[in-house]
Amino acid sequence: MEADNLLTLADENKMPQVGFGTYLINKQDEMDAAVKTAFEAGYRLFDTAQMYRNEQVLAAALNHNGIARQDVFITDKVANENQGYELTVASVDFSLEQLGTDYIDLMLVHWPINTKFFDTWRALEDVKKAGKVKSIGVSNYNRAMLELLKTQATEMPVVNQIENHPYLTSQGLVDYDHAEEIVTQAWSPLGRGAVLDNPMIQKMADHHDRSVAQIILRWQVQRGLSMIPKSVNPARIKENLQIFDFELSADEMSMLDILNRNERTGNDPEEVYELGHQYR
Ligand SMILES: NC(=O)c1ccc[n+]([C@@H]2O[C@H](COP(=O)([O-])OP(=O)(O)OC[C@H]3O[C@@H](n4cnc5c(N)ncnc54)[C@H](OP(=O)(O)O)[C@@H]3O)[C@@H](O)[C@H]2O)c1
């Protein structure tokens, strides 16, 4: 990855703008092949989670491909059942063991949960102080949750990883994150495929001689977001990173901005916050 695709986080650590999502990649041979293609294509950020049950598989794939720990940025997430102070601390130790490393680049709270809200964050602040993680952040937090966190946090998240694609632009939250020096990172940046058959984006893609996925990811780059598209297909893994050599016009950006339908492919964070667990 080019140096200019690195974002500087509020804690001064650097993070690649585009990373590789690994959700649902659990078989070793599939992970080995995906990591090989992704690393060769230039990906340096790999996104895993305790919930994906593939931390060990990812670590083995990095090993099998001869990729040194310091050459990649690993994002991990505390699973809902591991929230609360003691469990979070213990779960980070277990993640370090699974990943076969002595540090995680970025550890996120996977989902906001009302009963564990402050204790989980305090645990992440402490594991960061202990040097076990370099940066700490959250996932699926809305503005009100971040404002609430601010009332007790010693330090604020440097990343907020949220579902974000043309059918769910969450512009208000993206603007808020930006003003608070929190990098918004898009999960399901392609809407898990749901936006790929949009005829307007297809026209734009034809015009630029690019794929629909590349137009969407380029739109996110120009909005200043980070993103972690997932693919196990070698050609798609490569094309998802080939988005730094063309530009969308201001008009094209606006046309994409107005596709918003507030349409989620995943859980609604407010429901998860209240229920204490994911519901689908
Ligand atoms: N924090 C959270 O709560 C949260 C929630 C969900 C996901 N995530 C993270 O975000 C990552 C990405 O999200 P996601 O996997 O849900 O969805 P996504 O990246 O939006 O979409 C992945 C789907 O699109 C296909 N695809 C990928 N690139 C393509 C391309 N260029 N052209 C056509 N199809 C393409 C993939 O199929 P093929 O593999 O066959 O190419 C796969 O079916 C996950 O892997 C995970 O790391 C985080």
Side-chain angles (χ1 to χ4, degrees):
M1 171 125 9
E2 310 285 327
D4 58 353
N5 301 136
L6 287 174
L7 302 175
T8 302
L9 305 174
D11 60 13
E12 301 298 331
N13 289 331
K14 300 214 185 300
M15 179 182 79
Q17 187 169 10
V18 183
F20 185 76
T22 67
Y23 183 44
L24 297 180
I25 310 180
N26 292 82
K27 292 194 193 106
Q28 193 63 59
D29 55 347
E30 199 171 45
M31 186 71 93
D32 285 0
V35 166
K36 181 177 194 301
T37 309
F39 191 81
E40 285 172 1
Y43 290 86
R44 292 296 178 268
L45 187 164
F46 292 87
D47 181 272
T48 181
Q50 294 168 352
M51 194 198 94
Y52 304 167
R53 310 229 181 274
N54 66 5
E55 294 160 299
Q56 212 172 15
V57 177
L58 172 62
L62 293 168
N63 261 329
H64 296 162
N65 285 295
I67 300 167
R69 174 67 187 91
Q70 67 271 18
D71 290 340
V72 290
F73 183 108
I74 297 179
T75 302
D76 204 340
K77 312 182 195 84
V78 179
N80 298 342
E81 66 269 23
N82 291 335
Q83 288 207 35
Y85 187 87
E86 305 292 343
L87 277 176
T88 295
V89 172
S91 81
V92 171
D93 286 337
F94 189 63
S95 286
L96 288 168
E97 225 176 88
Q98 295 287 296
L99 287 165
T101 181
D102 56 4
Y103 71 95
I104 291 164
D105 295 276
L106 174 64
M107 196 77 197
L108 307 176
V109 182
H110 206 147
W111 287 91
I113 287 187
N114 76 88
T115 51
K116 314 280 177 67
F117 193 76
F118 293 112
D119 290 344
T120 303
W121 186 249
R122 192 163 49 84
L124 283 196
E125 289 178 332
D126 286 352
V127 294
K128 179 174 176 243
K129 274 192 214 114
K132 295 174 183 179
V133 310
K134 303 269 186 213
S135 294
I136 52 176
V138 294
S139 180
N140 302 303
Y141 278 43
N142 65 22
R143 179 186 182 131
M145 293 161 188
L146 288 163
E147 289 284 317
L148 179 63
L149 190 62
K150 209 192 266 182
T151 63
Q152 292 193 29
T154 307
E155 55 184 290
M156 285 296 283
V158 294
V159 168
N160 186 17
Q161 187 183 109
I162 57 171
E163 181 179 347
N164 201 280
H165 45 73
Y167 293 162
L168 184 71
T169 59
S170 301
Q171 193 58 51
L173 179 54
V174 168
D175 290 344
Y176 173 80
D177 283 351
H178 184 69
E180 298 290 317
E181 294 183 64
I182 299 168
V183 169
T184 304
Q185 185 171 61
W187 64 257
S188 293
L190 305 171
R192 288 193 181 149
V195 282
L196 294 174
D197 60 357
N198 183 284
M200 197 276 286
I201 312 180
Q202 183 63 59
K203 273 193 193 149
M204 235 180 250
D206 294 345
H207 173 70
H208 285 277
D209 201 14
R210 297 283 169 156
S211 70
V212 168
Q214 286 176 310
I215 297 291
I216 294 167
L217 297 172
R218 178 67 206 178
W219 164 74
Q220 296 286 33
V221 165
Q222 289 182 218
R223 295 174 80 210
L225 269 70
S226 169
M227 67 218 80
I228 43 168
K230 171 264 167 188
S231 178
V232 289
N233 174 295
R236 295 199 280 265
I237 292 173
K238 287 180 204 152
E239 73 168 62
N240 290 347
L241 198 58
Q242 282 160 5
I243 53 174
F244 291 98
D245 56 350
F246 75 106
E247 206 165 329
L248 299 172
S249 68
D251 279 352
E252 288 173 321
M253 289 296 292
S254 325
M255 284 159 81
L256 288 159
D257 289 342
I258 58 170
L259 290 179
N260 183 43
R261 303 174 178 173
N262 297 325
E263 197 172 283
R264 292 184 183 281
T265 66
N267 288 254
D268 179 342
E270 281 187 40
E271 287 291 322
V272 176
Y273 175 76
E274 284 161 10
L275 281 170
H277 57 82
Q278 283 163 262
Y279 54 91
R280 64 179 186 195

